Amino acid sequence: MGRMSRRITIIQGHPDARSGHFCHALADAYSAGATQAGHEVRRVDVAALDFPLLTRKDDWEKGETPPSLREAQEAILWAQHLVLLYPLWLGTLPAQFKGFLEQVLRPSLIGGAEQGLVAFGKLLKGRSARIVVTMGMPALLYRWYFRAHSLKNLQRNILGFVGVAPIRSSVIGLIETRGKGVHERWLANMRDLGKDAR
C-alpha cells in the first residue's frame, strides 16, 4: 500500500540566507525525499524575508500580519506537516526566527485576542511537525545537561500551544567537527524522513 500524500511546509530558520550551511542541506534533503514520495512541498526561507519585530502586546494580539509574511503564513496554514530548521545560537533560536514566529502565529488569525486562548490553542490543530536543530556542541550534552531548553520551548510553548501534535525532533550536534560521512548519514536520514512526511 502506497504512502498517503501530505502537504508539507519547510521553514528554514537559519538567519543567513546564503546557501552552504548544513541547515540548508538538511532542508534540501528533506524536500527531495518528500517530493520523490509524492508529497506537496512549500518552502519558507526566513532570512530572505523583510519584516519588523513586534514591540507591543496589542499589536501581536490585534495587529495585521505584515504583507511580506502573508505568503509564509498561508503556507503554514496550508500545511498538514511542518518542518522547522534552525541553528542553536546562544542556547536558543536565532532572534530573526523567533521574531518570525511571533509575527505569523498571532491571535488575529482567529479574529483577535477576544476569541480567547482556547480558540488560539486550536489554531494549528491537526498538523504535525518535526524540529531540526543543529549545533556545535554534542547533542547529548544539549539534551541532558542543558535540558534542550530552546527545543522544549518551541515544542511546548509555541507549536504545542497552538495545537500542533505530534512534534518530533532531530538534534544534530558537532556539525563543525564531524566528518563528511556523518553529514551524509544525517542527509540520508532527512531524505527518509521526508519520504515518510515525519
Side-chain angles (χ1 to χ4, degrees):
M1 187 175 179
R3 297 182 181 92
M4 183 179 296
S5 176
R6 300 194 75 196
R7 300 190 302 272
I8 302 170
T9 292
I10 300 173
I11 304 173
Q12 177 59 258
H14 199 294
D16 187 351
R18 296 172 297 178
S19 61
H21 296 286
F22 196 44
C23 274
H24 295 103
L26 292 166
D28 289 344
Y30 192 102
S31 179
T35 301
Q36 181 183 359
H39 302 297
E40 296 179 71
V41 178
R42 293 186 185 181
R43 296 181 68 161
V44 175
D45 186 350
V46 175
L49 302 172
D50 183 21
F51 59 91
L53 296 179
L54 285 167
T55 58
R56 295 184 302 147
K57 180 174 180 282
D58 62 333
D59 188 15
W60 178 71
E61 291 179 341
K62 301 175 184 177
E64 293 188 5
T65 304
S68 61
L69 294 183
R70 287 177 188 160
E71 187 175 339
Q73 194 176 59
E74 179 187 330
I76 292 170
L77 296 173
W78 166 85
Q80 296 170 308
H81 181 65
L82 301 168
V83 181
L84 301 92
L85 305 97
Y86 69 93
L88 193 71
W89 279 24
L90 292 178
T92 188
L93 286 72
Q96 186 184 35
F97 189 32
K98 176 67 161 47
F100 167 82
L101 294 173
E102 290 173 356
Q103 281 282 16
V104 297
L105 300 177
R106 49 168 70 222
S108 60
L109 281 175
I110 56 164
E114 64 275 4
Q115 295 293 323
L117 289 178
V118 173
F120 185 55
K122 296 178 181 178
L123 176 64
L124 298 183
K125 188 175 181 181
R127 293 163 180 81
S128 57
R130 174 164 296 274
I131 301 169
V132 181
V133 191
T134 63
M135 62 195 67
M137 75 173 80
L140 192 63
L141 182 67
Y142 174 69
R143 283 193 182 275
W144 295 106
Y145 183 79
F146 291 102
R147 306 291 185 182
H149 171 72
S150 74
L151 174 60
K152 289 180 180 178
N153 179 59
L154 182 52
Q155 286 176 321
R156 180 182 57 221
N157 301 340
I158 300 177
L159 296 178
F161 188 70
V162 291
V164 178
I167 303 170
R168 302 177 177 92
S169 64
S170 299
V171 177
I172 307 173
L174 299 172
I175 63 164
E176 295 165 355
T177 56
R178 285 185 167 175
K180 184 178 178 181
V182 175
H183 283 190
E184 287 298 329
R185 286 198 292 275
W186 270 112
L187 293 173
N189 177 256
M190 284 295 121
R191 283 190 289 271
D192 288 342
L193 290 171
K195 289 176 183 177
D196 293 333
R198 287 176 56 86

